[in-house]
Amino acid sequence: MIKENLALLFEKDMRKLQKEINSYSSEANLWLAGNGITNAGGNLCLHLLGNLQHYIGLQIGGFAYTRNRPLEFSDKNVPITVINELIEHTIQVVTAALKNMPESSLDTDYPENVLGESMTHEYFLLHLLAHLNYHLGQINYHRRLFDK
């Protein structure tokens, strides 16, 4: 049951991400930084999508994905239409990966040592959900700060 709940929560929060990104009054504002803010809202969004595609889509679901983490933080030229397509694709991949994951694997070790220690799939999925929400809050703050 927890994997179904996680799938619902990831989708709900990625829909919030999509709403935040589409709430910017200008695409240019997605890529603004400064005044102690080093990561633009658009780059945080790309980072979240790369993170979820890699750690859930590829590692759990087996969906092909090659991550370019540095580009997530440096690319400032991604049209909002493409970002929306990436969000939709990520929702589909994450949902499918979690729904197809055997419930018994929640208690098994995640295949990659990401946080410097071994952890179960369940623990890491909860971490990823918290990570999504942490950056979602940053994007909300960024939008309100730079989108005046």
Side-chain angles (χ1 to χ4, degrees):
M1 180 77 167
I2 189 167
K3 69 184 189 108
E4 289 84 5
N5 288 334
L6 284 167
L8 289 171
L9 288 168
F10 274 107
E11 180 175 358
K12 177 179 72 79
D13 292 337
M14 283 188 279
R15 294 280 176 218
K16 285 182 188 176
L17 173 64
Q18 190 171 40
K19 183 177 179 188
E20 276 300 327
I21 293 301
N22 287 301
S23 292
Y24 279 84
S25 64
S26 152
E27 278 191 52
N29 291 354
L30 270 172
W31 309 106
L32 296 175
N35 297 329
I37 307 294
T38 55
N39 294 316
N43 292 113
L44 289 171
C45 180
L46 294 176
H47 167 63
L48 285 169
L49 299 175
N51 180 279
L52 295 171
Q53 287 270 2
H54 177 80
Y55 291 123
I56 298 177
L58 175 67
Q59 295 292 349
I60 293 175
F63 293 96
Y65 184 75
T66 302
R67 187 172 188 190
N68 185 343
R69 192 173 189 278
L71 191 62
E72 296 167 11
F73 292 100
S74 63
D75 195 348
K76 309 279 186 208
N77 248 350
V78 182
I80 200 162
T81 55
V82 172
I83 291 175
N84 277 302
E85 290 169 6
L86 292 170
I87 292 171
E88 288 297 332
H89 178 72
T90 304
I91 289 170
Q92 291 174 2
V93 166
V94 167
T95 300
L98 292 175
K99 287 187 176 180
N100 293 327
M101 180 176 128
E103 192 86 29
S104 60
S105 67
L106 287 168
D107 293 328
T108 64
D109 283 344
Y110 186 78
E112 197 174 326
N113 186 338
V114 181
L115 303 175
E117 61 189 8
S118 64
M119 64 200 143
T120 64
H121 281 81
E122 180 179 8
Y123 180 91
F124 191 51
L125 287 167
L126 290 170
H127 167 80
L128 290 172
L129 187 60
H131 176 260
L132 170 58
N133 277 278
Y134 175 76
H135 287 312
L136 185 55
Q138 286 182 312
I139 292 167
N140 174 271
Y141 181 74
H142 178 273
R143 181 183 54 76
R144 291 181 290 116
L145 186 65
F146 286 101
D147 202 41
K148 296 178 180 177

